[in-house]
């Protein structure tokens, strides 16, 4: 093999392979906090689990070409994809539709903060409620319309935790006065169980992929 051929082969091998956006990678994260200066404000910060999921969302919103999702489900992620979503009108509208905050029967109005470094820093939304809030209901449905297996790990004041997912997209959060501690038996234990289920699901997928890989290798060896 010539030096030129070796160089070409090395360049091909060095090319990044398309990422596979799926709900069994790193989970989304959500933080829910009050605004100490404005008691009627609830601040929600959302971060995507993997940047390739932003590409998948961009295709779904019509911001990126459909051929960026390959036939085998792999995603052709590009570094400019988060900026495309951040500069659009569709993504903030999607964010406000999929994440909602209510103070009892009263809905709180969300305003998306300027989006900078979406893949790394995430998106922040300030929800203005009709009056000072103590306990609010926060619903998170981000990406579950693309695949119901997506999950979001959420944290709140006083060590409150919850896991959002399809069928469990709404949780109550105490923002002032007697917020549960980290060891709170209700939400903390429930979140731990759900987190274990998510991790267990990811491990099952990994084990399944390993078994399939071994079978393929054995068949090749026999052939």
């Amino acid at each position: 093999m010539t030096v030129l051929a070796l160089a070409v082969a090395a360049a091909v091998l060095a090319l990044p392979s398309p990422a596979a956006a799926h709900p069994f990678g790193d989970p989304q994260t959500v933080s829910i906090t009050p605004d100490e200066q404005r008691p009627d404000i609830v601040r929600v910060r959302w971060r995507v689990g993997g940047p390739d999921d932003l590409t998948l969302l961009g295709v779904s919103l019509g911001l990126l070409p459909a051929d960026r999702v390959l036939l085998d489900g792999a995603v052709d992620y590009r570094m400019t994809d988060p900026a495309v979503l951040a500069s659009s009108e569709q993504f903030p509208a999607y964010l406000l539709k999929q994440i909602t905050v209510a103070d009892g029967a009263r809905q709180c109005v969300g305003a998306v903060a300027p989006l900078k470094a979406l893949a790394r820093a995430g998106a922040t939304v300030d929800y203005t409620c009709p009056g000072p809030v103590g306990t609010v209901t926060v619903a998170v449905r981000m990406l579950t319309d693309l695949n119901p297996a997506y999950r979001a790990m959420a944290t709140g004041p006083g060590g409150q935790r919850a896991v959002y997912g399809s069928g469990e997209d709404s949780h109550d959060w105490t923002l002032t006065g007697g917020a549960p501690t980290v060891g709170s038996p209700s939400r903390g234990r429930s979140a731990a169980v759900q987190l274990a289920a998510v991790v267990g699901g990811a491990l099952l997928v990994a084990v399944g992929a390993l078994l399939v890989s071994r079978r393929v290798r054995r068949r090749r060896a026999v052939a």
Side-chain angles (χ1 to χ4, degrees):
M1 184 178 292
T2 66
V3 175
L4 177 59
L6 286 172
V8 171
V12 171
L13 291 174
L15 290 175
S17 59
H22 54 73
F24 301 110
D26 293 336
Q28 307 168 75
T29 59
V30 175
S31 65
I32 299 162
T33 57
D35 188 317
E36 295 182 358
Q37 304 300 322
R38 297 174 294 174
D40 58 338
I41 297 292
V42 180
R43 180 163 294 134
V44 178
R45 181 186 180 191
W46 170 83
R47 292 180 63 185
V48 72
D52 48 341
D53 290 327
L54 291 177
T55 303
L56 189 64
L57 178 58
V59 171
S60 175
L61 295 176
L63 299 171
L64 298 171
D67 60 7
R68 298 286 297 282
V69 179
L70 308 183
L71 294 178
D72 61 356
V75 174
D76 180 12
Y77 170 75
R78 299 178 187 178
M79 297 293 290
T80 55
D81 291 350
V84 172
L85 270 72
S87 62
S88 72
E89 296 180 356
Q90 291 91 326
F91 176 72
Y94 175 82
L95 194 67
L96 293 174
K97 177 184 176 183
Q98 300 301 99
I99 300 179
T100 59
V101 176
D103 179 12
R106 304 178 299 177
Q107 290 293 320
C108 305
V109 179
V112 181
L115 297 167
K116 300 178 181 179
L118 178 60
R120 177 176 54 83
T124 300
V125 186
D126 281 351
Y127 291 86
T128 303
C129 299
V133 293
T135 299
V136 294
T137 300
V138 180
V140 177
R141 306 179 183 89
M142 293 294 289
L143 305 182
T144 55
D145 54 326
L146 306 182
N147 189 318
Y150 274 105
R151 296 289 185 271
M153 307 302 174
T155 58
Q160 297 174 85
R161 297 185 181 91
V163 178
Y164 284 95
S166 181
E168 292 193 1
D169 55 15
S170 183
H171 293 285
D172 291 338
W173 298 86
T174 301
L175 302 183
T176 58
T181 61
V182 176
S184 175
S186 56
R187 183 170 294 133
R189 187 176 303 162
S190 174
V193 171
Q194 295 177 62
L195 177 59
V198 173
V199 174
L203 288 175
L204 287 176
V205 171
V207 171
L210 179 60
L211 291 175
V212 170
S213 176
R214 287 182 176 178
R215 288 181 180 177
V216 171
R217 290 178 181 175
R218 288 177 181 175
R219 290 178 181 175
R220 289 178 178 175
V222 172

